[in-house]
Amino acid sequence: MSIPSRTQVAIIGAGPSGLLLGQLLHRAGIDTVILEQRTPDYVLGRIRAGIIEQVTVDLLVEAGVSERMFKEGLPHDGFELCFSGQRHRVDMHALTGGRRVMVYGQTEITRDLMDARQASGAPIVYEATEVALHDFGSSQPSVSYTHQGERHTLQCDFIAGCDGFHGVSRASVPASAIQNFERVYPFGWLGVLSDTPPVAHELIYSNHERGFALCSMRSNTRSRYYVQCSLQDQVSDWSDQRFWNELRSRLDPDTAEQLVTGPSIEKSIAPLRSFVAEPMRFGRLFLAGDAAHIVPPTGAKGLNLAASDIAYLSRGLIEHYQEHSSAGIDAYSERALARIWKAERFSWWMTTLLHRFPEKDAFDHRIQRADLDYLVGSQAALTSLAENYVGLPMAA
Ligand code: APR
Ligand code: PHB
């Protein structure tokens, strides 16, 4: 594939954000080049949450990449909360007037988007290193990068920084122009993937005095489980046996008994963080997805927020090219941040409700239990939980 030296939108990063933006713009006849520092296999090797909100499902339909998701994904109408040895079902479908979520791995979405990119013939450069952003404060921005030992420059109209939390895009903005908001949590999640049938048809979020646990799934034969762990823990501290015993100890007796265990096929520890950078536009540079914000995984909002950023950004860029109006791109940052902060609040709240915080005392533990008791006994509180879990609406 020959890589052009000029494009309309230069996209940095080929995670879900960059690939989805590339796909939506391609369908609108807008040229893009995607620059990704890693290999496709590396990108597909990352395992992340897989709960897709209805608005994200709709966007994947609009992008023309929903076929396999509808075939292989599992629609879920509810999930369960477990505490004090009992499970309580949250009937999302009934509480939200018929809305639901789709369980479909983020890795699969990324694969579908990669396949669509390849089918479109639009350029994507893997192993593009030393990416540098230039002149995004002017009307003629550009991006330079090294590929196969050679330095290249890509001229463009706009740069989309879709390069994740550790990317170069946010780091290229002068510190005085950006404000960061952050909360780091004093624990991590140890995750295990295994080819065993999920313990239940729906997800179980468990609050236990030994710490949080989550029973999730990728299919009817593949499970994904998590336990809250210490930030000092190493994966090598956790044999499969130790993991299964710990998970079992944090579930109600019935579920614990039904748990089918087996060898792990992936095991990793992830820290938990809330983070937002404001604003999300700097002249002709836009930040989207994890490049601009991080949520803790409780509630699985990461991918869904990336998708709503991309919905707003793609609409703004399409409006710019097709209608010569800058209204959409001018509103991008404010519109995206309004939805982001609500999901930040929800993810922080769910994390606080369900985890054991090392610094908290007996009073805090009683308040947490009262919060859970109130929640499962109140239609109003359950409705609020359900409407956030299925995903808040996007601005028109
Ligand atoms: N140059 C080029 N590419 C880069 C650079 C760089 N300097 N830095 C990072 N990248 C690439 C990464 O290798 C990665 O493939 O940018 C991509 C960013 O992808 P993600 O981290 O998946 O971020 P995003 O696409 O915004 O997806 C957000 O990922 O973390 C989850 O929960 C989160 O679901 C959300 C989703
Ligand atoms: C997952 O399946 O990996 C998952 C599901 C729900 C969450 C977080 C992770 O809240």
Side-chain angles (χ1 to χ4, degrees):
M1 187 195 301
S2 78
I3 306 302
S5 57
R6 161 146 200 102
T7 191
Q8 290 175 301
V9 182
I11 300 176
I12 306 177
S17 301
L19 288 166
L20 182 58
L21 179 63
Q23 176 68 3
L24 290 163
L25 295 183
H26 172 75
R27 284 167 79 91
I30 298 168
D31 291 334
T32 61
V33 172
I34 302 182
L35 302 173
E36 163 60 50
Q37 71 177 358
R38 305 290 195 155
T39 63
D41 283 350
Y42 180 93
V43 172
L44 288 173
R46 292 186 287 228
I47 299 190
R48 284 151 169 190
I51 304 292
I52 318 297
E53 296 173 351
Q54 185 63 52
V55 289
T56 306
V57 169
D58 295 345
L59 194 65
L60 295 172
V61 171
E62 189 184 322
V65 290
S66 57
E67 201 182 317
R68 199 162 65 95
M69 175 178 68
F70 284 124
K71 244 187 261 158
E72 297 176 16
L74 307 170
H76 277 207
D77 287 348
F79 62 91
E80 297 196 90
L81 292 173
C82 176
F83 62 95
S84 307
Q86 282 191 315
R87 279 159 65 171
H88 306 261
R89 182 161 190 268
V90 180
D91 188 340
M92 272 184 301
H93 192 256
L95 288 160
T96 61
R99 294 166 70 208
R100 49 169 63 99
V101 297
M102 180 75 95
V103 174
Y104 186 62
Q106 211 174 117
T107 312
E108 305 312 317
I109 292 181
T110 309
R111 194 189 303 276
D112 295 342
L113 285 164
M114 275 182 177
D115 291 349
R117 182 80 186 175
Q118 194 166 13
S120 75
I124 178 162
V125 186
Y126 285 101
E127 299 178 82
T129 57
E130 300 167 291
V131 169
L133 287 67
H134 311 283
D135 305 322
F136 50 81
S138 79
S139 59
Q140 291 177 310
S142 64
V143 181
S144 58
Y145 61 98
T146 302
H147 186 236
Q148 295 177 341
E150 254 181 69
R151 196 81 191 146
H152 302 267
T153 297
L154 177 63
Q155 310 286 341
C156 54
D157 299 334
F158 297 101
I159 303 173
C162 301
D163 48 352
F165 185 64
H166 300 287
V168 64
S169 300
R170 194 181 70 252
S172 304
V173 174
S176 59
I178 195 164
Q179 194 177 2
N180 296 332
F181 302 85
E182 187 168 40
R183 175 73 31 103
V184 177
Y185 300 87
F187 40 73
W189 275 21
L190 169 67
V192 158
L193 193 66
S194 70
D195 277 326
T196 52
V199 68
H201 291 303
E202 295 180 335
L203 273 68
I204 303 172
Y205 290 85
S206 182
N207 168 288
H208 191 273
E209 60 191 32
R210 294 183 64 83
F212 170 75
L214 171 60
C215 305
S216 181
M217 67 202 68
R218 291 291 174 272
S219 70
N220 290 324
T221 55
R222 182 168 282 189
S223 301
R224 180 71 167 159
Y225 296 108
Y226 299 93
V227 294
Q228 174 185 345
C229 66
S230 156
L231 283 172
Q232 273 72 53
D233 284 4
Q234 308 284 322
V235 171
S236 57
D237 297 334
W238 287 86
S239 65
D240 285 1
Q241 197 53 49
R242 180 177 172 207
F243 178 83
W244 294 121
N245 287 343
E246 190 57 45
L247 175 63
R248 219 183 264 115
S249 77
R250 298 182 187 189
L251 301 172
D252 63 289
D254 278 358
T255 312
E257 202 186 299
Q258 276 160 32
L259 182 71
V260 179
T261 63
S264 63
I265 50 178
E266 194 267 356
K267 198 188 280 164
S268 51
I269 293 181
L272 272 72
R273 180 195 302 271
S274 297
F275 174 87
V276 183
E278 291 185 3
M280 290 167 62
R281 179 194 182 175
F282 308 88
R284 288 182 169 245
L285 166 66
F286 301 94
L287 301 181
D290 279 15
H293 45 78
I294 295 288
V295 284
T298 334
K301 292 297 174 209
L303 173 78
N304 295 295
L305 277 187
S308 55
D309 290 356
I310 296 304
Y312 294 134
L313 182 56
S314 61
R315 281 167 206 168
L317 289 168
I318 292 168
E319 223 173 274
H320 168 87
Y321 285 109
Q322 292 181 352
E323 293 163 32
H324 308 289
S325 158
S326 68
I329 52 180
D330 289 345
Y332 168 66
S333 178
E334 202 178 325
R335 237 180 229 166
L337 283 163
R339 191 168 194 274
I340 289 159
W341 273 113
K342 290 187 195 118
E344 290 284 344
R345 182 208 69 83
F346 177 66
S347 309
W348 163 85
W349 172 78
M350 246 187 120
T351 302
T352 307
L353 181 72
L354 294 170
H355 289 74
R356 198 75 171 182
F357 284 69
E359 74 274 16
K360 299 223 159 145
D361 64 12
F363 177 86
D364 297 306
H365 297 151
R366 287 288 193 278
I367 292 288
Q368 192 186 52
R369 202 170 68 199
D371 243 338
L372 283 161
D373 267 340
Y374 165 67
L375 176 61
V376 299
S378 157
Q379 194 74 2
L382 280 172
T383 303
S384 164
L385 167 63
E387 79 176 349
N388 279 279
Y389 197 90
V390 297
L392 296 176
M394 285 192 37

